[in-house]
Amino acid sequence: MGQDQAVPQFDANGDVRVPAFVLPVSGLLSAEAAAFQRTRATMPMFDGAGTQEPDIAARREQINAYAATGVARLRENFAVEIVPQTIGGVEVLDVTPADASHDPDRVLINLHGGAFTVGWDGIAMMEAIPIAALGKFRVVSVNYRMAPEHRHPAGVEDVAAVYAALLEDYAPGRIGIYGGSAGGALTAQAAAWLPAHGLPQAGAVGIFGAGGVPFDAGESAYVAGYIDGSFPPPPADGSAGIDITRGYFVDCDPRDPSAWPGYHLDVMATFPPTLIITGTRAMDLSPAIFTNSQLLKAGVRSTLIVGEGMGHCYHYGLHMPEGRDAVAAILSFFCENLN
């Protein structure tokens, strides 16, 4: 090491002062993923400048417009039927293979991403279409209540209402729940909520791009803020940054097990088999690792997949082998466990 090369500085309180450095594209990536990394300079970074669109209706339109190209591509590549309806008093999209080849005895509940504020119905369709088509599943994507209009536990209450209604037609062991980002966190909340409120546990859950603790818990939110850039890092001075959930958890105790079950081993022990997917460049890496460790400690079967060089919710990226591998793992997991 040269004398003039910058090195980390370790403070007495354990903080690390990291020098500026260049992070090369991983040599372990597929050619498609490496090419995608090179496009990051032209991609939008929502709220990256430390500001937030004040009009939630405008932000929802913005996110749906951003998702529209991907949704159109999915509709071209995957033949599905999408039927808006109401289940348990909650608006849903009922997504099935167009040829009705899905297993009539199994169903998946999808909880879309979007920081508990956006994502209906653009992100919902991105999450539901490939799973329904490739896995031959009926996927019920839930339009759960979000902020700023609503607060926790509104979203998980809606999920429970849909789940309870589906129990009229499906055995609980044949119902799976999955979601990405906020939907992944909401999936963890649902797994905690169902048995705590007298409902039988689902057969299996998939927590993708999230964990059972807040997104800013642990180190990865800081690291990913600088090497991935999809979300800004927490302020360096320890002050509160942008609340991307727009107050969804404002009145919630930071350790409330209905919101963040990962802190509570007794709650985690009630979880069904769980699949967790994150990436080495994802802000959710630390919550995912911690949640997996807690589940294993609680005696629950948990599988953690960490995509090398991958960012937040990389399983959306079917243009990459890594994204396709993640989706294949999701389908295999639910096929194995919903029986």
Side-chain angles (χ1 to χ4, degrees), residues 1 12 58 109 164 171 178 196 232 234 243 245 294 321-322 335:
M1 179 181 295
I109 298 173
Y178 76 96
D243 178 9
T245 75
Q294 291 288 86
E322 290 87 347
C335 285

Side-chain angles (χ1 to χ4, degrees), residues 138-317:
R138 177 191 181 191
V139 178
V140 175
S141 191
V142 181
N143 185 14
Y144 55 87
R145 285 172 290 170
M146 299 183 289
E149 298 90 345
H150 304 284
R151 300 285 183 268
H152 174 78
V156 72
E157 288 175 343
D158 289 343
V159 177
V162 172
Y163 179 82
L166 289 173
L167 285 173
E168 297 177 7
D169 299 310
Y170 298 91
R174 290 180 173 263
I175 302 176
I177 306 173
Y178 76 96
S181 194
L186 186 55
T187 296
Q189 292 168 12
W193 184 274
L194 299 180
H197 290 80
L199 290 168
Q201 184 58 275
V205 296
I207 300 170
F208 313 140
V213 296
F215 286 102
D216 59 357
E219 298 180 347
S220 59
Y222 292 87
V223 176
Y226 292 105
I227 66 173
D228 180 71
S230 297
F231 301 90
D237 61 5
S239 61
I242 291 175
D243 178 9
I244 61 174
T245 75
R246 297 182 186 248
Y248 185 74
F249 297 101
V250 69
D251 297 320
C252 183
D253 185 293
R255 296 281 175 135
D256 184 338
S258 73
W260 307 118
Y263 293 122
H264 306 273
L265 282 179
D266 59 331
V267 177
M268 300 299 276
T270 69
F271 274 47
T274 302
L275 174 64
I276 303 173
I277 299 179
T278 186
T280 60
R281 293 192 178 195
M283 68 167 181
D284 45 88
L285 176 61
S286 291
I289 291 172
F290 181 79
T291 301
N292 179 68
S293 296
Q294 291 288 86
L295 285 167
L296 295 176
K297 192 183 300 185
V300 174
R301 179 188 171 196
S302 180
T303 300
L304 173 65
I305 296 175
V306 182
E308 164 65 11
M310 296 291 103
H312 184 59
C313 287
Y314 76 91
H315 65 290
Y316 294 171

Side-chain angles (χ1 to χ4, degrees), residues 83 228 308 325 333 339:
V83 179
D228 180 71
E308 164 65 11
D325 288 347
F333 169 77
N339 49 47

